[in-house]
Amino acid sequence: MRAAPTQEDIRRQNLGALLRRVHVHGPVTRAQLTAGMGLNRSTIGALTADLTEAGLILEEQPRDPAAGRGRPSLVVKVRSQRVYVLAFGVGVDRLVAARVGLGGVILDRREIERPGGQFSIDETVDRLAEFAARLGEAAAPEARCVGAAAAVPAVVARDGGELRYGPNIGWNAEPFGARLSAAAGRHVVIGNDGDLGALGEHTRGAAAGYDDVVYIHGDVGIGGGIIAGGRRLTGADGFAAEIGHMMVNPNGRECPCGSYGCWETEIGERALLRAARRGGPLGRESVHAAVDAAARGDKDAEEGLRTVGDWLGVGVANLVNLLNPRIVVFGGTLRMVYPATAAQVRSRINSTALATHREHLRLRTALLADDAPLHGAAELAFAGLFDNPIETSSA
Amino acid sequence: MRAAPTQEDIRRQNLGALLRRVHVHGPVTRAQLTAGMGLNRSTIGALTADLTEAGLILEEQPRDPAAGRGRPSLVVKVRSQRVYVLAFGVGVDRLVAARVGLGGVILDRREIERPGGQFSIDETVDRLAEFAARLGEAAAPEARCVGAAAAVPAVVARDGGELRYGPNIGWNAEPFGARLSAAAGRHVVIGNDGDLGALGEHTRGAAAGYDDVVYIHGDVGIGGGIIAGGRRLTGADGFAAEIGHMMVNPNGRECPCGSYGCWETEIGERALLRAARRGGPLGRESVHAAVDAAARGDKDAEEGLRTVGDWLGVGVANLVNLLNPRIVVFGGTLRMVYPATAAQVRSRINSTALATHREHLRLRTALLADDAPLHGAAELAFAGLFDNPIETSSA
């Protein structure tokens, strides 16, 4: 019921929608764009001409045109090197930065791990800014950075600037977005790693094509993201999907959040290594070693994984009853834990989730592996480009 | 990116939007409609003329026109008697049917209670059809029924016809919508009582004006409905918000759903009466008596309410961490239980919900009392009218 959009608004929206479609789905023919976008052929032709001139796409003859069926439809592809974003991933013991090209391809990356350790906020800002500088230097002279975003294991304010609460990294109420932006010399939006993992897997991972998704991210803590009806479930303040702090065990241990019996205290890295009676630092290597030991028949590791798998199933069943997702995706270290505990998880879901809710449910590991939040950060960073492709890429 | 809507489509949408606005918000001036809908004065005038001619609204001079400030803007109101819907509420031990006029006013109602008992599906269909007939007979000859819907304490298929699973009423995989439609002589859509309670409270109750809402409905079982970003959270199959079957107590009792330790087994009517060591049938009267006994200092009842309040708080804290609602509304028998246990609930939320998530959280009892699901059913039944006001009201 608002005032009608201008011709220029409509053109900008159509340019963004077309570019985003090719960015997400890969090469498509003009005929597919015409059918999929509900626009006529001449409009599609005008849009692809504009995007080609801006250097964002290219059009090619199809490799195997159907013989004798008239003029073949041109294939539209992104030019992945022409514009890029910077995506950052902050883990408890791992920092990663990547240059991600149009089409979602990781063109270059830098990372540092410190198993069992942590990074202070000062060090994180410095390292990521240094990575960003190196990634920029390595880009082709004509390549243009059109956005930047960071995934953090913390509650983040809706405006994507303030990190409100991150018990596992020990940062609270930090203007991390502003600090990283200042150090990197360009605006960096921040987002919760679970939310961005969900966005990554929903855009180009295991959850592509599904409208109702729960993504569960395992690190030292347990994060998550929820897609409901095709859209991110944000909650009133942008804080939704703190699934690691769902209480599942009223007799459980204290959680870094101050409560106890949180899901995170039963299925996070600390819980797994404790249940499997294993020493060593926290981190992916230790989780991998525990899963590996169980596979080789180590009784303590087997028993530990059974316990963790049981609690993993309890929490998934709760999320299934509450949210009725079509797919649950396990990311981060849960990519190793879920396959090793699938029997327990399935058994718990069968006993605890309602039959109606589990009938069409799929459980999958993240296709983007540990990079699901990084890919989500890239999508967040690309958003401005799709709002206004020509100006954003030439400004 | 679809083909542009026709003039006729736009007119129909505007008629529906205007009528719905007055239906939900009550009398408004033409000037307020002009500002609120982003349409010009002559368009608003044409729309109100059409709706007036169809008998759906009337326009009046304002009672206290601001003196000397030009021609006063006409006040637009619904004509609540001209069109109505039939709304049905199925509880475990209570059946209700109402004729609800435009504007959401309950014009007439019929109900029957059977404390501690149940209604079979045959009896439910017969009784509600009989109520519907009587409600129709009592309506004015020129009044027109434009829809019908029923709230049921069960998992309902997305198309609003099949009742998939209702452990507390003992019905499973029943074509209840089709049976009630046949008996009532008109199409009746069915919906989950928690979802419809949320819709009722969100439209014209305690949650009006909030975009992120959790509604919790207490009956023998515990139902719920979630509004996220202003829209109902449906899940992949329409089954979302089965909050009563979130496991909160791994050492808890068996639940009618087949699992155990479900929230329902800790805060439902059976749990309350057991914890308060009270006999008597299930039902609102017994809940009221237990709450009343605690208020009068009965130690068993006090202790029982403390226990239930503690579990109520655990579950609410989980929902707050997962969904980040701005408001949680307690309906059904929880309207009595929550005020009697607010100290326990608040204490649990303070210890278990994240500080970021509880900062702006409101907890309220349902304004529509036990009728929240009934009002939600009425809104569901009115939906067709707002899609096409003139034809639906004259067909």
Side-chain angles (χ1 to χ4, degrees), chain B residues 6-262:
Chain B
T6 64
Q7 285 297 108
E8 185 50 32
D9 291 337
I10 292 173
R11 178 174 158 275
R12 201 163 49 228
Q13 284 169 20
N14 284 340
L15 286 167
L18 193 159
L19 185 62
R20 184 168 190 282
R21 186 174 277 258
V22 187
H23 165 75
V24 171
H25 298 290
V28 290
T29 65
R30 279 198 187 186
Q32 289 168 323
L33 289 170
T34 303
M37 294 180 65
L39 296 172
N40 63 39
R41 283 172 56 182
S42 64
T43 304
I44 294 289
L47 296 171
T48 57
D50 286 354
L51 293 170
T52 300
E53 194 187 321
L56 296 170
I57 61 167
L58 48 85
E59 297 191 276
E60 295 178 341
Q61 295 294 334
R63 288 194 192 164
D64 298 307
R69 298 179 59 199
R71 199 157 53 114
S73 182
L74 290 171
V75 174
V76 180
K77 295 179 173 180
V78 295
R79 286 183 57 191
S80 64
Q81 304 269 351
R82 168 67 180 77
V83 292
Y84 67 88
V85 295
L86 291 173
F88 303 103
V90 176
V92 172
D93 58 2
R94 176 174 176 245
L95 302 176
V96 51
R99 184 156 55 85
V100 181
L102 198 54
V105 55
I106 294 183
L107 300 169
D108 193 359
R109 70 189 292 154
R110 301 282 189 280
E111 62 190 287
I112 177 172
E113 289 202 52
R114 186 174 293 159
Q118 278 200 343
F119 292 89
S120 71
I121 188 163
D122 290 343
E123 192 180 359
T124 301
V125 168
D126 289 349
R127 287 281 190 170
L128 292 182
E130 186 198 328
F131 286 166
R134 282 200 242 155
L135 290 168
E137 286 159 20
E142 71 278 14
R144 184 166 167 72
C145 181
V146 294
V152 295
V155 175
V156 173
R158 190 189 275 283
D159 68 358
E162 194 189 9
L163 184 154
R164 294 289 305 276
Y165 183 59
N168 286 306
I169 46 177
W171 309 352
N172 291 311
E174 295 281 359
F176 179 63
R179 289 194 55 186
L180 185 55
S181 298
R186 64 167 303 125
H187 184 58
V188 184
V189 184
I190 66 172
N192 172 269
D193 59 355
D195 288 332
L196 293 180
L199 177 59
E201 287 291 321
H202 186 235
T203 306
R204 54 181 79 253
Y210 292 90
D211 280 345
D212 296 276
V213 179
V214 172
Y215 172 79
I216 311 174
H217 190 76
D219 187 355
V220 172
I222 298 294
I226 299 166
I227 307 286
R231 302 192 313 178
R232 187 190 147 208
L233 192 154
T234 62
D237 307 291
F239 302 159
E242 282 295 329
I243 61 177
H245 301 289
M246 162 171 64
M247 181 186 278
V248 292
N249 185 1
N251 302 311
R253 290 165 191 261
E254 196 173 349
C255 178
C257 80
S259 182
Y260 57 91
C262 291

Side-chain angles (χ1 to χ4, degrees), chain A residues 1-3 13-14 17 36-39 155 164-165 212 226 228-229 231 233-243 245-251 257-260 311 314 318-319 321-326 348 351-352 354 356-357 359-360, chain B residues 1-3 13-14 17 36-39 155 164-165 212 226 228-229 231 233-243 245-251 257-260 311 314 318-319 321-326 348 351-352 354 356-357 359-360:
Chain A
M1 304 305 131
R2 298 281 160 206
Q13 284 169 21
N14 284 340
M37 294 180 64
L39 296 171
V155 175
R164 294 289 306 276
Y165 183 60
D212 295 276
I226 299 165
R231 301 193 312 178
L233 192 154
T234 62
D237 307 291
F239 301 158
E242 282 296 329
I243 62 178
H245 301 289
M246 161 172 65
M247 181 186 278
V248 292
N249 185 0
N251 301 311
C257 80
S259 182
Y260 59 92
W311 286 113
V314 166
N318 278 357
L319 295 170
N321 284 344
L322 289 173
L323 300 166
N324 181 209
R326 180 67 77 235
R348 266 295 183 174
S351 66
T352 306
L354 297 170
T356 43
H357 290 55
E359 187 178 352
H360 301 292
Chain B
M1 305 303 130
R2 298 283 160 204
Q13 284 169 20
N14 284 340
M37 294 180 65
L39 296 172
V155 175
R164 294 289 305 276
Y165 183 59
D212 296 276
I226 299 166
R231 302 192 313 178
L233 192 154
T234 62
D237 307 291
F239 302 159
E242 282 295 329
I243 61 177
H245 301 289
M246 162 171 64
M247 181 186 278
V248 292
N249 185 1
N251 302 311
C257 80
S259 182
Y260 57 91
W311 286 113
V314 166
N318 278 357
L319 295 170
N321 283 345
L322 290 173
L323 300 166
N324 181 208
R326 181 65 79 235
R348 266 295 183 175
S351 66
T352 306
L354 297 171
T356 42
H357 290 55
E359 187 178 352
H360 300 293

